[in-house]
Each structure stands twice: as C-alpha cells, then as structure tokens.
Amino acid sequence: MSRGIAESAKLLLLSLNQGDVIYGVNTGFGGSADTRTKKLEELQTTLIRELHCGILINSIAMHGDEVLPLDDGFSNTCMPESWVRAAILIRVNSLASGHSGVRPILINSMLDLLKHDITPRIPLRGSISASGDLVPLAYVGGTLEGKRGTMVWFGGKADRRVVTANAALEMSHLKPITLGPKEGLALINGTAVSCGVAALAMYEVNNMAVLSQILAAMSVEALCGTDESFDPFFAAVRPHQGQTEAGRNLHSFLAGSKLVQRNHGLEEGSLRQDRYSIRTASQWLGPVLEDLVLASAQLSIECNSVTDNPLIEFDFEDPGRTRTHHGGNFQAKAVTSAMEKVRLGIQAIGQMLFAQCTEIINPKLNNGLPPNLVVDEPSESWLMKSVDIMIASLQSELGFLSSPAGTHVLSAEMGNQSLNSLGLISARYTHTALDVLSQLASAHLFVLCQALDLRAMHLRFLKTMQPVLMENTTKILSEILSNGDELEVLHALLWKYFRTQLDITTTLDSTQRFAIIFKALQPTVLDFASSSTNTVMTVKNWSTTCSTQAQEIFLQNCKTYHSQPNDASSILGTAARRLYKFVRDELKVPFLRSTMLSGPDLVTTSPKQETPQQPKGTDEEQYLPGMTTGSLITTIYNSIRNGSLYAPVLECLAEVKVSS
C-alpha cells in the first residue's frame, strides 16, 4: 500500500509535466476553477489559509468582568477532541488508499498528531459537507503546517491546554510540513469530519438500542406484565428481522423473573393483555434496529472509502495508462442518510421509554404501585412527579430533533455547490439527540429500580401478612361461620379480595387505607356468617384487628426493607438483575425515600459553624449531603456517557447469544 501512495504522487507529477489540467492542482477551486496557475505549492497553502473562516473562541476569558456570558463560547464554538481525532483517522484511511496523489509524509504527519495527542481546535460550524468538510479539515492542515494562528489541544491529562500549532509541534519534536501539489485539496476535500462524527454517534446509538431493550424488559417486570407478548410465534408469522431480534432479546431478558405474570383474563376487570408500551415493544423497536443496521453499513462503507477529488487510477505495470478522474465522491449524502435514520430511531426509542415510564409512575396504570413511586405516605411525598414532568420535556425535544437536516439545503459557493449534504450538521444534531436520550434513559432506569424495589417490598409485606390474616380469620370468625368446612374457601376469597383492594387503594395513607380495605371485605365475611346476634360485632372486631395489624406490618415492612438494599435482585429476570445491581451496588444510587433528599429541613447550618449539620433521623434514613433526585439521575447519566453502564448491558446481550 505504501508503494501505491508514493506512486500516485509521482504519477500526479507526471501528468502535470505532460501538460494535463487537473482540478485544484493547477486550477482554481469550485466556481473559480476557470483560473490556471503554475504556483502549485502556493495554491495549496493559500487554500488552507483562506479556509480558516470559522468562529472559534480560543480563550475562556471572552467577556468583561461585568458581563455575564450567554453561554460557554470556549466549548460551544469548538468540536470535542474525540470528533477531531476520529476525523483525522478516517482522513488518513482514505488517503492511504493511494488514489489521492499525496506523499507518505502527509499521512505520517497526520498520524503523528494522533500519536502525540495534538488535537486541532476546529470550529463547530461552517461546513455544508458538499465538497467535503472544507473548513473543519483546513484547521488540520494549518496544524500540520505549524501555523501560529491555528490553536490546538496539547499536553497530558493533567496539563491539557490550548497552545499554537507551531508550539505543539516544536514541543513534540515534529517538523511542520510544506504541502505539495494537490495535498491541501486532498486533505480537506473529503467526508472525514462528517463521517467521524457520525461514526461516534453510531457506536453510541447501537449501545443505546440494546439498553432500550433491557429497559423495556425491566418495564414489563415493574408493571407485572407478561412475557407472552414476546413469544417466538409472533416473529414466526411476521418475520421481520428487527422484530425477531427484539422479541428474542426481550424474552431472554425476562427469564427467571418472579414478577412476570401469565394473564389468562380470569380476573374480573382485568385487561387480559398488557398496554402497548410493553406489549408491542418488539414490534416498535424492530424497525428501528433494521434502520440502525442499514445506517451502520452506510457509515462502514464511508469510513473505508476514498472521498476526495480528483482521484488517480494508476497501473503499476503500465504507468501510461494512468487516469485522473474528476467526480463527486466528496458529497456526504450517505452520512446524512444514515444520521436521519438514526435520529428518527432515537425519537422512537425515547417515545417507548417515555410511555413506559409515565405508565409506571401513574397509579391508574401501574398495577398497584404507589403514586409517584413513593415509599412514604402519598399525602406527604410526590417523589417522581418532577421526573414525570422532566421526561415529557426531554421527549418533546427529541421530537423536534428528529426533523431532517438534509431538507434545508441552500445553494453555495457561486452556485457551484447547489447540492450539499449537510452531513456534519445532521451528525452534530444526532449527538445532541443522543445526549437527550441518555438523560431520558437515565431517568427511566432510576424510576425502574425504584419500582422494582417497591414490588419486592410489597411481596415481602404479602408474605408476612397472609398468615396473620388467616390466623385472625380462623381465630375470630370460626364461631360465627354457618359452615366450618368453608373456612378454607373464605380464606382464599379474603386473600384474593385483599390483594385487589391493595392495588386500588395505593393513593391512600396507611392510616385510612387498611381500615377502608377491611371494611370493604366485611360483606364477603357476612356471606359466610350465621345470623346470630353477635355476628355484626364479631365481624367489626375482626375488621379492626386485621386493619390495625396490617398497618403495623406495612409500616414495619417499609422500615425493614429500606434498611436492606438490593433485596429486589432475587425476584428479577437475568437482565434486570444485572442493571439493578449495577445501579445499587456500583453507582450507589439508593432506594429512595423523600426524607433522604437534601433540603432546608434536613441539612441545616449552625450559626457558629460553616459545615452543614445533619439532623437526627430515624434509623433507616441515610442522609447524604446534597443528594437530590436530579443528582441521583445524573449519576446514572454519567455512567451512560462514560460507557461504564454498557458493560452489564453487553453482558446481558452476550447471554442471549449463548442461550440461542
């Protein structure tokens, strides 16, 4: 391959010596290509110099002391380093094909930037991704030339700082290069920036797609839904690849769950089937997965393509057959196409997560969870109400961001670039959408872990309460039953109706709730009672005793469970168990009570001391200074953005492949 690179540069010079007119080598550029020049090297230097037109704040101190900035111009006008490094790598890969007419020294100099952690500061905006990403890549060219006006990131993690390009090269013992014929054009005339930014987004969204399937499975468990919706039969009779994959994953993720139900519709008033947010998850996500596969394929081809102009076709055996092709491989429409599909997919994933999350928070829809997922009394806490509002904001923004960028094309550059892909703009907004989706997924995972703990806590309450109810019923009601043989039947009915009443009274405080529940059960008892004079008083006594003990058990159960974290893992499916334990054990995000949150009534400052004083609380309360719902969700969000959450996510996916 190195021979091809060197040979293409030699063949380019041979063509020039034969008097060939080659665009951008001895002509002007774009709509000005009707000019000719013999100053070949000066032409390339001028091209790089004049394309440094982007807005770029290179100093943090951009405002006077008395002026509050509208935003952070230092970072808001500059691409992240990861984007720039990706662009350089892809540009190297393209030039290394040997069809661009550049010398090996140019490619090696670009690799040196990567090796020495010299990252050009490139303006965020200014490219229409038509004749490649001209303006952004010109800043890479300025760095290679060691221009004093080109600023770069330089230094190790501890002393990362902004310096001039010439200073960075000097400190790294690297020499600036002088661009040869076509090398300036070959450097800037390609889709590397659009493609690099898009490729990073593609990697992230593929991970998010797997995470979204696990969150959907956890939502099934949180809502005590069924795995029937993901039976392989559905994919067999509707064999879309995406639906098949999503259904298989979801079914596998739910394996071993003790919360998954098989609803046969025998319960009066039951829906028989889950609501759409979880029942149609595989059908909803399937087309998204298929779009992501196509987008990945488009970007994979683009990352490994030659995208500048003109291109050189050479023959080692017969140099005379060398041809220079003038065309438009720099048009980044493939990148735009991929990114538009990705953003639509992001919106669809967000819509599913939003629907599931709001259903879990809403007591009218969540199959017996407390309103707003509170551990405390419903009249004293509205824990997840703010989250409910926040995720509506996030999903609304995703809807806006899903709009296509490629439909806003304007003719540019003297009418020459009348078609331009806007690929970089589309890729940039895809990253914005991914950040919003990450926040939404973080909030949803936070809600899910809270809901799953509430389910586990409820199961423990039922396990403790059932024998107490049976004992009280036997002890107090036996003497008034018309038929003693029907005691077991009465036990079964009372337990069934008790659980039903629990599900429909979640909005009541415990002081009212259990009194109302057992009053509602009295007619069932009377149906089995004899018509003796003390029947009514006995039933009332039974009702009072049971409601008092139920409330005591309920409150004690809340206190006991809250002091033993991670107790929900034993009832969860394989995937939910991994993510739940990661959130609880690794991230230290706790099962939350309102009293744990930081606030003026919890954290006070003594007039004589500057450090906050923690108030005295009950044994189970864990006071963490500064802890808020937002700070806990932010902890989960950080694990998504830094990639640590994806370790257990991909382990879940690997288990599916092994079991398949």
Side-chain angles (χ1 to χ4, degrees):
M1 183 60 69
S2 60
R3 180 189 175 194
I5 297 171
E7 287 295 324
S8 71
K10 292 179 182 179
L11 293 172
L12 175 68
L13 294 177
L14 179 62
S15 296
L16 291 171
N17 291 334
Q18 292 173 347
D20 292 346
V21 176
I22 302 176
Y23 169 79
V25 180
N26 53 11
T27 76
F29 302 99
S32 302
D34 52 355
T35 62
R36 304 290 184 268
T37 183
K38 294 182 180 179
K39 299 179 179 180
L40 306 186
E41 292 184 353
E42 290 87 339
L43 181 69
Q44 304 303 308
T45 300
T46 300
L47 175 66
I48 298 297
R49 180 174 63 244
E50 293 185 352
L51 281 171
H52 278 59
C53 65
I55 295 175
L56 190 62
I57 304 298
N58 284 312
S59 173
I60 296 178
M62 55 176 287
H63 295 279
D65 293 338
E66 297 180 359
V67 179
L68 287 175
L70 297 175
D71 54 28
D72 179 7
F74 183 69
S75 58
N76 286 354
T77 61
C78 181
M79 290 186 189
E81 289 192 66
S82 58
W83 294 13
V84 179
R85 289 178 62 84
I88 293 174
L89 182 62
I90 291 174
R91 198 76 210 106
V92 165
N93 192 46
S94 177
L95 296 177
S97 69
H99 294 291
S100 301
V102 303
R103 298 166 296 160
I105 189 175
L106 176 64
I107 297 174
N108 290 330
S109 296
M110 295 174 71
L111 290 173
D112 283 337
L113 296 183
L114 298 177
K115 292 176 183 176
H116 292 271
D117 279 339
I118 300 173
T119 307
R121 282 181 55 81
I122 295 180
L124 187 67
R125 296 177 175 84
S127 176
I128 56 176
S129 306
S131 184
D133 295 302
L134 302 174
V135 171
L137 287 169
Y139 286 78
V140 178
T143 301
L144 294 172
E145 292 180 310
K147 297 298 184 183
R148 295 179 181 275
T150 302
M151 309 302 292
V152 302
W153 285 105
F154 179 75
K157 291 183 178 179
D159 64 339
R160 199 71 173 153
R161 60 197 185 279
V162 175
V163 301
T164 60
N166 64 304
L169 294 181
E170 182 178 351
M171 286 184 284
S172 301
H173 306 291
L174 300 175
K175 293 182 179 180
I177 68 169
T178 300
L179 297 173
K182 194 182 180 295
E183 289 184 340
L185 179 62
L187 177 62
I188 67 169
N189 191 206
T191 65
V193 181
S194 299
C195 193
V197 175
L200 292 173
M202 194 75 243
Y203 175 82
E204 190 69 17
V205 76
N206 283 335
N207 284 323
M208 288 296 298
V210 181
L211 173 60
S212 70
Q213 293 171 72
I214 297 176
L215 295 180
M218 294 176 73
S219 297
V220 174
E221 295 183 78
L223 291 166
C224 291
T226 177
D227 61 357
E228 178 187 8
S229 310
F230 315 115
D231 192 286
F233 172 77
F234 291 106
V237 298
R238 195 193 192 204
H240 291 292
Q241 290 184 349
Q243 177 182 332
T244 301
E245 179 181 345
R248 180 180 65 246
N249 290 344
L250 286 161
H251 198 270
S252 177
F253 292 157
L254 290 169
S257 174
K258 297 178 182 178
L259 293 173
V260 169
Q261 307 294 314
R262 177 63 69 164
N263 186 355
H264 296 290
L266 300 178
E267 294 289 336
E268 184 177 349
S270 68
L271 287 176
R272 175 58 184 89
Q273 54 190 6
D274 296 330
R275 292 184 175 85
Y276 284 20
S277 74
I278 54 177
R279 176 158 47 105
T280 67
S282 62
Q283 291 86 354
W284 184 265
L285 288 174
V288 174
L289 299 183
E290 292 174 9
D291 280 347
L292 296 185
V293 169
L294 177 55
S296 294
Q298 288 177 300
L299 290 177
S300 180
I301 291 172
E302 192 71 11
C303 285
N304 294 283
S305 296
V306 185
T307 59
D308 54 300
N309 177 64
L311 299 176
I312 299 172
E313 181 184 5
F314 53 85
D315 188 329
F316 289 127
E317 303 301 327
D318 185 4
R321 296 177 60 184
T322 298
R323 297 179 59 193
T324 302
H325 296 277
H326 292 74
N329 269 8
F330 46 65
Q331 184 69 268
K333 186 63 174 177
V335 175
T336 312
S337 174
M339 289 295 95
E340 311 289 60
K341 285 191 283 288
V342 167
R343 279 203 314 288
L344 282 172
I346 289 172
Q347 188 277 336
I349 291 173
Q351 188 64 50
M352 181 192 72
L353 301 185
F354 171 77
Q356 293 166 352
C357 195
T358 54
E359 191 172 326
I360 291 168
I361 295 173
N362 188 344
K364 291 181 171 58
L365 304 175
N366 63 19
N367 289 337
L369 289 169
N372 302 303
L373 305 185
V374 299
V375 183
D376 308 287
E377 302 289 6
S379 68
E380 299 174 359
S381 175
W382 305 271
L383 195 61
M384 297 296 175
K385 188 172 292 296
S386 58
V387 179
D388 200 350
I389 296 169
M390 180 185 73
I391 61 174
S393 167
L394 296 173
Q395 184 54 29
S396 295
E397 188 171 355
L398 283 182
F400 168 76
L401 290 169
S402 68
S403 300
T407 57
H408 298 276
V409 174
L410 297 175
S411 181
E413 199 267 298
M414 301 172 65
N416 180 50
Q417 298 181 16
S418 55
L419 291 179
N420 42 83
S421 70
L422 306 182
L424 180 55
I425 294 175
S426 186
R428 280 175 34 222
Y429 279 107
T430 303
H431 277 274
T432 302
L434 274 168
D435 182 67
V436 175
L437 180 61
S438 297
Q439 295 185 39
L440 177 54
S442 303
H444 189 31
L445 181 52
F446 176 73
V447 165
L448 283 167
C449 290
Q450 181 80 2
L452 294 173
D453 268 315
L454 288 167
R455 289 292 186 200
M457 187 174 74
H458 182 67
L459 289 177
R460 176 181 288 186
F461 167 70
L462 293 177
K463 183 178 180 180
T464 305
M465 184 62 201
Q466 186 175 19
V468 173
L469 177 58
M470 299 303 102
E471 181 182 353
N472 285 337
T473 301
T474 301
K475 182 178 180 180
I476 300 175
L477 298 181
S478 293
E479 64 182 45
I480 65 168
L481 294 181
S482 58
N483 186 347
D485 295 336
E486 294 183 338
L487 185 60
E488 289 189 10
V489 178
L490 178 60
H491 281 165
L493 284 176
L494 287 175
W495 184 243
K496 173 184 175 181
Y497 295 153
F498 175 71
R499 295 186 63 173
T500 300
Q501 286 293 318
L502 281 174
D503 288 348
I504 64 177
T505 57
T506 56
T507 59
L508 298 175
D509 287 356
S510 60
T511 52
Q512 304 170 286
R513 185 182 184 187
F514 292 102
I516 290 174
I517 287 175
F518 282 98
K519 185 176 182 180
L521 296 182
Q522 289 178 8
T524 302
V525 174
L526 291 173
D527 287 341
F528 286 80
S530 60
S531 302
S532 61
T533 56
N534 64 335
T535 294
V536 174
M537 290 300 299
T538 301
V539 172
K540 286 185 177 181
N541 178 39
W542 169 84
S543 179
T544 301
T545 300
C546 288
S547 63
T548 300
Q549 290 187 358
Q551 183 186 2
E552 292 174 353
I553 293 171
F554 178 81
L555 295 176
Q556 182 59 42
N557 180 66
C558 290
K559 180 178 180 180
T560 303
Y561 183 87
H562 199 264
S563 65
Q564 299 175 4
N566 304 321
D567 202 65
S569 59
S570 62
I571 64 171
L572 303 181
T574 56
R577 190 181 307 120
R578 284 187 184 277
L579 255 64
Y580 172 87
K581 290 186 71 65
F582 179 82
V583 171
R584 293 289 186 251
D585 296 347
E586 299 297 324
L587 300 183
K588 307 299 182 185
V589 173
F591 179 39
L592 193 62
R593 301 188 70 167
S594 178
T595 50
M596 296 169 62
L597 298 175
S598 174
D601 57 332
L602 293 181
V603 180
T604 60
T605 301
S606 169
K608 297 182 179 180
Q609 297 180 345
E610 297 181 357
T611 57
Q613 300 295 303
Q614 298 300 332
K616 295 180 180 180
T618 57
D619 293 338
E620 79 275 10
E621 291 172 341
Q622 302 173 26
Y623 291 95
L624 301 178
M627 185 172 70
T628 65
T629 304
S631 69
L632 296 174
I633 296 175
T634 300
T635 298
I636 299 175
Y637 166 79
N638 284 335
S639 74
I640 292 178
R641 299 302 285 175
N642 66 31
S644 60
L645 180 68
Y646 293 137
V649 166
L650 296 180
E651 287 172 0
C652 294
L653 186 62
E655 286 182 349
V656 176
K657 294 182 178 180
V658 170
S659 62
S660 300

